[in-house]
Amino acid sequence: MKKGKILGAALMSAVMGISMFATAAFGQQSANQESYRVLIQGPSAEKAKAKASYGARWEFEGQGFTTTVNGQQYQALLKNKNLKIERLPELQLGLNQDAAAKPGGTTAAAPSDQTPWGIEAIYNDSGVKATSGGNGIIVAVLDTGVKKDHKDLVNQVLQCKDFSQMKTPLVDGSCSDGNGHGTHVSGTVLANGGSDGKGIYGVAPGAKLWSYKVLNDRGSGYSDDIAKAIETVADNASGLKVIISMSLGSSTKDSLIENAVNYAYNKGVLVVAAAGNDGPGTNTIGYPGALVNAVAVAALENVQQNGTYRVADFSSRGNPATDGDYVIQERDVELSAPGRAIESTWKDGGYNTISGTSMATPHVSGLAAKIWAENPSFTHTQLRDELQRRAKVYDIKGGTGAAIGDDYASGFGFPRVN
């Protein structure tokens, strides 16, 4: 397996599923082969019969409904020629040997730096001691949940919902993070320095968090749960300025998630998503980041800690045929941000350092919140234009596959505060 891959190749080529875009393993493939999540489509009468027999987890207008069935029920459904059955299996993280940073080891009780290198880089200020901004903006992080009582995230969580439970589709008020990934991502967006003033800072501590747990504690989830969470964000966003941040993905496009992203974008929500960790090969960008209505973020590393940035080898690349056009098409990287050896908040109340485009994405989500708060008249499309404009100012020219200007590795470049 190539360094940087997070999903087993056989699983990736077989069926759609969602995993986190961090570069280390959080779990193993599920041993339960007797339970299947499926999307059922067909004539209304036939769907009604199936729904009566198996129940419905989620309804998707114009697309049918999803449910969970056992092996025998699944085979019975396949025999019904009047129904279209699409299986939505759960995919787990594969192993990765990236030695830069691995979760799961000893975490620190205090941050090594209150403004880690990624924060200094996106602020373009190596001497920054604290961050600010994002007031009035909501960032919806769709991930493994969050440790709400982490001292650096206290009073930051406005909504907490769990879409990952097997028996209950949605648990309101619950978003416990047994993995750590979601807490880490959330901290990079809006950690506020801690109730004691000794904690870590995210990009936009004035923003508030909607934590939607769509991945279980092994770090995997079904596409229907994620799609419904995206729709829920969009439906709750009326009259608000909301950014969706998703550090998750798959090599395969899923219609449920694509339609949900389009739905949210059309309702004025900016969608930011990880490019994936399948680099350095071309055309390896994952979904939903690869969608036109999502801002795909690549991962940068700090070369020899000297303030020179390049695209990390593990970071997925887009389509080189579209280099230089400054037009976002499907499977294009749009922006790049710090993603290797990123320190942030962790599930045990401490701090951990991990790598991946998962870590790059919340830097951009936080920056978007900060810019939007400073420009409240912006629409989400104008906000996206401003991110692109700032990225052009700091083009990423070095590293494997990174050319001058709009390129398939770094996109438009690295947007920053200053």
Side-chain angles (χ1 to χ4, degrees):
M1 182 180 290
K2 288 186 178 180
K3 180 179 181 181
K5 284 195 179 279
I6 63 166
L7 297 175
L11 289 174
M12 289 173 65
S13 63
V15 282
M16 168 69 191
I18 302 296
S19 297
M20 299 177 299
F21 279 157
T23 64
F26 283 82
Q28 302 296 326
Q29 184 177 358
S30 173
N32 182 6
Q33 300 299 322
E34 295 301 320
S35 179
Y36 306 103
R37 183 73 56 82
V38 293
L39 171 66
I40 299 178
Q41 299 172 286
S44 297
E46 291 296 328
K47 284 192 300 182
K49 291 178 183 178
K51 194 180 300 182
S53 296
Y54 307 114
R57 185 174 177 90
W58 300 115
E59 297 270 5
F60 291 94
E61 186 175 355
Q63 292 184 277
F65 71 96
T66 64
T67 189
T68 302
V69 295
N70 61 34
Q72 184 176 2
Q73 292 168 330
Y74 177 63
Q75 292 302 320
L77 280 169
L78 291 178
K79 294 177 182 178
N80 188 334
K81 302 304 181 184
N82 294 317
L83 293 174
K84 179 182 177 182
I85 309 301
E86 180 180 347
R87 184 178 162 189
L88 306 172
E90 185 180 21
L91 300 188
Q92 301 291 340
L93 295 170
L95 295 175
N96 177 267
Q97 301 303 315
D98 180 18
K102 290 186 178 182
T106 302
T107 56
S112 63
D113 186 349
Q114 287 191 276
T115 53
W117 81 264
I119 298 298
E120 294 176 357
I122 205 162
Y123 268 74
N124 195 22
D125 182 359
S126 61
V128 65
K129 300 299 182 184
T131 59
S132 62
N135 299 69
I137 310 302
I138 303 296
V139 181
V141 174
L142 277 55
D143 211 287
T144 63
V146 69
K147 182 173 176 57
K148 292 191 296 182
D149 60 352
H150 194 292
K151 69 175 185 177
D152 301 351
L153 298 171
V154 170
N155 300 321
Q156 297 291 72
V157 184
L158 295 184
Q159 282 191 19
C160 182
K161 299 179 186 294
D162 188 350
F163 294 78
S164 71
Q165 297 298 314
M166 293 297 293
K167 294 183 178 180
T168 305
L170 173 60
V171 182
D172 204 2
S174 174
C175 57
S176 177
D177 184 10
N179 182 287
H181 187 273
T183 301
H184 193 281
V185 167
S186 299
T188 298
V189 176
L190 45 67
N192 60 14
S195 53
D196 60 359
K198 297 179 181 179
I200 210 165
Y201 285 95
V203 181
K208 295 301 181 182
L209 177 67
W210 289 356
S211 181
Y212 285 16
K213 182 180 174 71
V214 297
L215 305 177
N216 60 34
D217 290 342
R218 299 187 305 275
S220 62
Y222 291 103
S223 62
D224 61 329
D225 293 336
I226 294 164
K228 187 55 65 172
I230 295 170
E231 287 186 2
T232 303
V233 172
D235 289 338
N236 288 340
S238 179
L240 302 172
K241 294 177 173 61
V242 180
I243 298 160
I244 289 177
S245 187
M246 291 186 285
S247 293
L248 49 80
S250 167
S251 63
T252 306
K253 181 163 66 171
D254 174 75
S255 62
L256 294 178
I257 292 179
E258 179 182 21
N259 289 340
V261 167
N262 293 340
Y263 177 76
Y265 197 74
N266 289 336
K267 281 184 169 285
V269 176
L270 184 71
V271 181
V272 184
N277 300 329
D278 289 325
T282 63
N283 291 306
T284 54
I285 185 171
Y287 290 91
L291 297 172
V292 173
N293 284 336
V295 177
V297 184
L300 299 177
E301 58 188 6
N302 191 359
V303 183
Q304 297 179 346
Q305 304 300 305
N306 64 1
T308 300
Y309 312 115
R310 68 184 179 199
V311 180
D313 282 349
F314 62 75
S315 186
S316 291
R317 269 64 169 172
N319 182 8
T322 64
D323 273 9
D325 62 4
Y326 286 105
V327 175
I328 294 302
Q329 303 178 51
E330 190 162 331
R331 300 187 70 86
D332 272 350
V333 171
E334 188 162 342
L335 305 172
S336 46
R340 185 186 285 278
I342 302 301
E343 186 176 21
S344 188
T345 47
W346 200 245
K347 65 178 182 178
D348 59 0
Y351 305 87
N352 204 352
T353 301
I354 55 178
S355 296
T357 56
S358 278
M359 286 62 254
T361 302
H363 282 90
V364 170
S365 301
L367 176 60
K370 186 174 175 67
I371 294 172
W372 214 349
E374 294 168 352
N375 300 274
S377 65
F378 275 5
T379 64
H380 68 303
T381 56
Q382 289 173 319
L383 175 61
R384 188 175 186 177
D385 289 342
E386 178 62 14
L387 287 168
Q388 293 175 354
R389 186 193 69 78
R390 295 191 186 202
K392 292 177 185 177
V393 173
Y394 193 79
D395 184 41
I396 302 297
K397 304 179 180 68
T400 304
I404 295 174
D406 176 25
D407 67 83
Y408 69 95
S410 66
F412 287 27
F414 176 19
R416 302 202 284 186
V417 172
N418 302 312

